[in-house]
Amino acid sequence: MKVLVIGGAGYIGSHVVKALMQDGHTVTVFDNLSSGLRENLFKENSFIYGNILIQSDLEFAFEKGFDAFIHLAAFKAAGESMITPEKYSVNNITGTINIMNAALKYNCKYMVFSSSAAVFGEPKYLPIDESHPKDPENYYGFTKLKIEEIMAWYDKIKNLKFAALRYFNAAGYDVDGFPSGLEQNPANLLPVIMETACGMREKMKVFGTDYDTRDGTCIRDYVHVNDLADAHVKALNYIVKNNESLTVNLGSETGVTVKEMLEEARKITGKEIPADFVERRPGDPACLYATSAFAREKLNWTPKYSDVHTLLESTWNAYQKNMNK
């Protein structure tokens, strides 16, 4: 298939592009490079520089004729979304509507959307499954939930078939070493650990040591970016083959504590990685992890690289590669 990957120069997007190529698809990347990197592009792909807020940019892309598109071009900093919701409204919600309208104008009716476990909010039970109540605790999660609802209406009215992939913490880097361009302005645990190991940060903070977990620190669900890329390809193939929409959770099903991640990082990097243990952050649940039973059933998807060692080793390799440039 001919596939347009919107946000394909970004951290997750570039890994999705590679997985699509390995599955035999012809890929074009659409990106404004606000957080994506030219170094993440593959010479085998066409590249269109464009902005999802400019309708003519999107129509210029879609008029080239695509069988499907994958949308990974949302803003995703939960904390920032609570300070500037207008930014997230325009880019995430309006931008997605722009994309879908341009796609339908040129008869592109298969869509894979990078959603988020942020649609769920505070867990009512664990592991979180697809039917868990949706009650986002930040505006970022709200935008993802609204987009899911809009996609469902476009399916009903316009026959736009979609796969919404809700995942938790994307982590790791390509196990074969490319793409390896570092995520811009990261706020997640693994890049913060690595920046501290590399000396880019003097020390890091661990928020809360008195949670009701096995070592007092938060438990989170980390999914390797190669596993996420594989899920995007499997979801695309599923909706095209079955001509039906799909919403699935993608989790490793084995949560990891902050202390466990930090201790394993010290072993892999051989660095001290100084850390201050400080008070909890407001709104941080003790545990978050998902069941992927539905993804296994529908997509035959299971994470292969989401163990702690592979997550950290592939990330450390990427940071070393970039530090040695």
Side-chain angles (χ1 to χ4, degrees):
M1 286 186 286
K2 290 180 64 179
V3 184
L4 182 67
V5 181
I6 300 168
Y11 166 55
I12 298 173
S14 57
H15 289 81
V16 170
V17 167
K18 183 174 182 177
L20 285 165
M21 290 193 297
Q22 290 174 334
D23 200 53
H25 300 289
T26 301
V27 181
T28 297
V29 171
F30 180 99
D31 205 299
N32 68 356
L33 301 177
S34 61
S35 59
L37 301 170
R38 285 191 180 274
E39 67 191 79
N40 282 341
L41 298 171
F42 295 82
K43 64 180 185 300
E44 297 92 337
N45 304 134
S46 300
F47 172 63
I48 299 171
Y49 179 86
N51 192 318
I52 64 173
L53 300 181
I54 301 175
Q55 199 68 28
S56 58
D57 285 1
L58 289 165
E59 294 191 9
F60 173 80
F62 277 105
E63 70 181 4
K64 300 183 183 306
F66 293 97
D67 302 300
F69 67 97
I70 298 180
H71 172 25
L72 305 109
F75 293 146
K76 62 186 181 71
E80 182 188 46
S81 76
M82 298 296 284
I83 300 168
T84 54
E86 61 276 15
K87 174 181 176 180
Y88 282 68
S89 298
V90 173
N91 186 81
N92 292 9
I93 299 176
T94 305
T96 302
I97 293 170
N98 289 346
I99 292 167
M100 293 192 295
N101 290 345
L104 288 169
K105 182 174 181 178
Y106 292 96
N107 202 37
C108 181
K109 292 195 170 184
Y110 293 104
M111 169 183 186
V112 178
F113 175 61
S114 171
S115 191
S116 171
V119 301
F120 296 117
E122 180 77 25
K124 306 294 188 292
Y125 57 83
L126 293 167
I128 294 173
D129 58 21
E130 285 77 8
S131 60
H132 186 284
K134 284 77 181 172
D135 186 18
E137 291 196 330
N138 54 66
Y139 195 73
Y140 160 70
F142 169 82
T143 66
K144 293 286 189 175
L145 183 58
K146 288 297 120 182
I147 291 166
E148 287 189 9
E149 293 173 357
I150 291 167
M151 289 190 300
W153 277 105
Y154 269 57
D155 180 2
K156 188 181 299 186
I157 299 168
K158 293 288 191 177
N159 200 33
L160 174 66
K161 300 304 176 187
F162 67 88
L165 307 182
R166 298 173 180 151
Y167 40 89
F168 286 73
N169 296 285
Y173 278 82
D174 186 73
V175 292
D176 295 326
F178 187 87
S180 61
L182 298 182
E183 195 174 1
Q184 304 298 293
N185 302 313
N188 294 333
L189 178 62
L190 263 70
V192 168
I193 287 175
M194 293 303 160
E195 288 187 356
T196 309
C198 290
M200 298 164 66
R201 296 173 184 249
E202 183 179 343
K203 60 175 61 177
M204 59 174 285
K205 292 180 179 178
V206 175
F207 296 96
T209 58
D210 58 350
Y211 288 98
D212 185 18
T213 61
R214 53 185 172 265
D215 63 19
T217 61
C218 287
I219 293 177
R220 293 293 181 266
D221 196 338
Y222 298 89
V223 185
H224 195 283
V225 68
N226 283 138
D227 290 327
L228 290 178
D230 177 53
H232 282 76
V233 176
K234 282 182 162 66
L236 173 61
N237 292 337
Y238 177 91
I239 62 173
V240 171
K241 178 182 178 182
N242 297 282
N243 197 39
E244 67 179 21
S245 294
L246 177 76
T247 299
V248 296
N249 293 354
L250 301 175
S252 68
E253 301 189 313
T254 55
V256 182
T257 73
V258 176
K259 278 185 180 177
E260 288 167 349
M261 195 68 81
L262 181 56
E263 288 305 315
E264 184 67 17
R266 286 167 172 159
K267 293 175 187 174
I268 287 172
T269 64
K271 305 292 185 180
E272 181 183 351
I273 313 182
D276 284 338
F277 292 85
V278 298
E279 295 295 312
R280 297 183 185 191
R281 285 183 302 198
D284 268 352
C287 298
L288 280 178
Y289 55 93
T291 172
S292 296
F294 193 56
R296 278 197 300 275
E297 174 192 340
K298 290 291 187 179
L299 305 179
N300 192 30
W301 178 83
T302 53
K304 300 176 183 176
Y305 304 107
S306 296
D307 59 281
V308 175
H309 185 87
T310 305
L311 287 167
L312 285 164
E313 185 176 59
S314 61
T315 307
W316 181 234
N317 288 341
Y319 271 80
Q320 286 186 302
K321 184 177 180 179
N322 281 272
M323 291 300 105
N324 292 330
K325 283 181 180 178

